[in-house]
Amino acid sequence: QLKEAISKNERILQKQPEEFAKLTTDCLNQYLAKTKNDHDILVNILEPIQKEALERERIKQEKLKKEEEERIEKERLQKKKEEELRLQKKREEELRLQKQKEEELR
């Protein structure tokens, strides 16, 4: 069948080149129209999916950023608490030493 179609096209090309050009152009135009239509359909289907995926990624990144900020704040508060505890122990030790000196002086 393919050989027959090729032979038929060759005969048309030889006998009626303008008709062959017109048929070829029509065929290409139909193909391009179908391709464009298929493309438009795909864009209409994929565009909302892509927008939703981008929105999900944005939300995910915001969540990760917020979690990181909370982690950093928690660490900062923990360090502050540890520093306050260290200073309190230092003051207590200084007071203890001061009392000990006072006792020794008596």
Side-chain angles (χ1 to χ4, degrees), residues 65-76:
K65 182 180 177 184
K66 183 178 178 183
E67 288 172 353
E68 179 66 10
E69 289 171 351
E70 288 172 353
R71 183 190 64 76
I72 290 170
E73 180 63 14
K74 191 175 180 180
E75 285 179 3
R76 187 187 68 76

Side-chain angles (χ1 to χ4, degrees), residues 17-29:
E18 295 86 14
E19 182 65 21
F20 183 79
K22 182 184 179 308
L23 289 173
T24 304
T25 302
D26 289 348
C27 184
L28 284 172
N29 286 335

Side-chain angles (χ1 to χ4, degrees), residues 45-59:
I45 292 171
L46 295 176
E47 196 172 82
I49 294 171
Q50 182 183 25
K51 283 182 180 178
E52 184 178 335
L54 289 172
E55 181 64 13
R56 285 183 182 173
E57 183 62 23
R58 184 189 64 77
I59 290 169

Side-chain angles (χ1 to χ4, degrees), residues 81-102:
K81 187 176 177 181
E82 289 171 358
E83 180 63 17
E84 287 173 354
L85 188 60
R86 186 186 68 75
L87 289 173
Q88 181 182 355
K89 286 183 179 182
K90 183 179 176 183
R91 283 190 296 261
E92 289 173 356
E93 180 64 18
E94 288 172 352
L95 279 173
R96 189 188 66 74
L97 289 173
Q98 184 180 355
K99 285 183 180 181
Q100 185 180 6
K101 284 181 182 178
E102 288 175 359

Side-chain angles (χ1 to χ4, degrees), residues 11-54:
R11 285 193 300 273
I12 293 173
L13 177 59
Q14 290 172 357
K15 292 180 182 175
Q16 300 169 310
E18 295 86 14
E19 182 65 21
F20 183 79
K22 182 184 179 308
L23 289 173
T24 304
T25 302
D26 289 348
C27 184
L28 284 172
N29 286 335
Q30 287 176 2
Y31 174 77
L32 290 173
K34 181 176 180 352
T35 303
K36 178 167 180 2
N37 188 40
D38 291 348
H39 174 265
D40 291 346
I41 290 170
L42 282 175
V43 166
N44 289 337
I45 292 171
L46 295 176
E47 196 172 82
I49 294 171
Q50 182 183 25
K51 283 182 180 178
E52 184 178 335
L54 289 172

